[in-house]
C-alpha cells in the first residue's frame, strides 16, 4: 500500500488515520458544515466507521478510493476532508468531493484544496478527467471549482436524495490536457 502525502503552499493532503476521527467529526458532525452534503450530520461513531472503511480501501489493489485529511501546513491541524473516487468502469476518470471546517470558509482554502486535488489526480494518479458535483445552492464550492480551473458542465436533475428531499447537482470537471497548474 502506497501512502498519500501531497503538499501545497498552504495545505497538505494525507491518508486519514484512526486518530483523525474527532477532527473529521468536527466537519461531518456540524449541521452548518454539512448543509450542502447529501446526508445529515454524522455521529462520532459514524465518522469512525467511515475512517475504518477509508483505511480498508487504501489497501485495495488497484486503489480506487482516497479519503484524505486536509492539513493546514502552518499549524499542522486538520481543517478538512477530501475524497477522490476513481470510477471502476472508467479508470481514467475520478469524482472529487470535499468539506472544510467552517472556520476556514471565505479564505480561499477551498480553491487551494481543489487545485491540490487536481494536481494529485493528474500528476500522481495519471487521470484524464476529474469531476465534482455540488449543490446548486453551494456558491462557495462553485467559486472554488471555477477558480481552480474546472468547467461547469451542467445540471443533473434530482441527482441525490437528501434529508430535505431530492436535490439537483451541478457538475464541474477538468481535463488533463486542458488543465493548467496554478
Amino acid at each position: 500500500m502506497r501512502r498519500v502525502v501531497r503538499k501545497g503552499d498552504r495545505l497538505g493532503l494525507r491518508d486519514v488515520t484512526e486518530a483523525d476521527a474527532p477532527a473529521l467529526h468536527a466537519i461531518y458532525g456540524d449541521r452548518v458544515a454539512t448543509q450542502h452534503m447529501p446526508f445529515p450530520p454524522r455521529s462520532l461513531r459514524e465518522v469512525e466507521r467511515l475512517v475504518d472503511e477509508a483505511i480498508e480501501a487504501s489497501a485495495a489493489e488497484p486503489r480506487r478510493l482516497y479519503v484524505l485529511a486536509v492539513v493546514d501546513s502552518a499549524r499542522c491541524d486538520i481543517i478538512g476532508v477530501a475524497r477522490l473516487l476513481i470510477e471502476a468502469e472508467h479508470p481514467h476518470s475520478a469524482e472529487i468531493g470535499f468539506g472544510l471546517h467552517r472556520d476556514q470558509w471565505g479564505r480561499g482554502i477551498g480553491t487551494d484544496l481543489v487545485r491540490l486535488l487536481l494536481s494529485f489526480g493528474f500528476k500522481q494518479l495519471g487521470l484524464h478527467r476529474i469531476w465534482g458535483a455540488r449543490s446548486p445552492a453551494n456558491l462557495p464550492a462553485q467559486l472554488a471549482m471555477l477558480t481552480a480551473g474546472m468547467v461547469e458542465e451542467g445540471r443533473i436533475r434530482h441527482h441525490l436524495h437528501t434529508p430535505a428531499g431530492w436535490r439537483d447537482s451541478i457538475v464541474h470537471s477538468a481535463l488533463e490536457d486542458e488543465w493548467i497548474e496554478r
Side-chain angles (χ1 to χ4, degrees):
M1 168 181 60
R2 194 170 86 207
R3 302 297 294 170
V4 172
V5 177
R6 187 91 179 160
K7 295 187 180 186
D9 292 335
R10 295 197 297 173
L11 305 175
L13 295 174
R14 65 164 174 74
D15 283 299
V16 295
T17 67
E18 289 179 4
D20 297 334
L24 299 179
H25 181 253
I27 300 158
Y28 283 139
D30 183 326
R31 181 185 52 77
V32 176
T34 58
Q35 67 185 322
H36 297 295
M37 295 183 186
F39 52 81
R42 310 243 177 174
S43 70
L44 178 57
R45 184 163 299 223
E46 289 172 316
V47 173
E48 289 169 341
R49 278 196 299 270
L50 290 172
V51 169
D52 289 342
E53 291 168 6
I55 291 169
E56 184 179 322
S58 73
E61 285 295 332
R63 184 171 179 182
R64 292 183 48 239
L65 176 63
Y66 296 82
V67 179
L68 307 169
V70 180
V71 180
D72 179 302
S73 295
R75 300 182 321 201
C76 296
D77 294 335
I78 295 174
I79 60 169
V81 61
R83 184 176 177 273
L84 185 145
L85 177 63
I86 297 172
E87 298 175 27
E89 292 165 19
H90 306 284
H92 62 278
S93 180
E95 177 185 11
I96 60 169
F98 56 93
L100 293 170
H101 195 282
R102 65 174 146 155
D103 69 0
Q104 300 299 312
W105 295 357
R107 301 178 51 221
I109 298 291
T111 300
D112 288 354
L113 175 54
V114 174
R115 285 180 176 143
L116 203 53
L117 284 168
L118 293 174
S119 177
F120 171 65
F122 291 136
K123 293 173 112 182
Q124 196 164 336
L125 299 178
L127 296 170
H128 178 71
R129 181 176 191 274
I130 299 173
W131 65 279
R134 66 170 175 84
S135 162
N138 192 346
L139 300 182
Q142 175 188 26
L143 182 61
M145 288 191 273
L146 291 174
T147 304
M150 297 180 85
V151 173
E152 188 172 304
E153 290 186 339
R155 178 181 295 255
I156 303 172
R157 296 175 38 198
H158 285 208
H159 181 226
L160 297 172
H161 194 269
T162 72
W166 288 103
R167 186 200 87 194
D168 293 358
S169 290
I170 307 296
V171 176
H172 296 257
S173 72
L175 302 178
E176 178 261 338
D177 53 346
E178 296 175 350
W179 175 71
I180 300 169
E181 187 165 23
R182 298 174 182 155

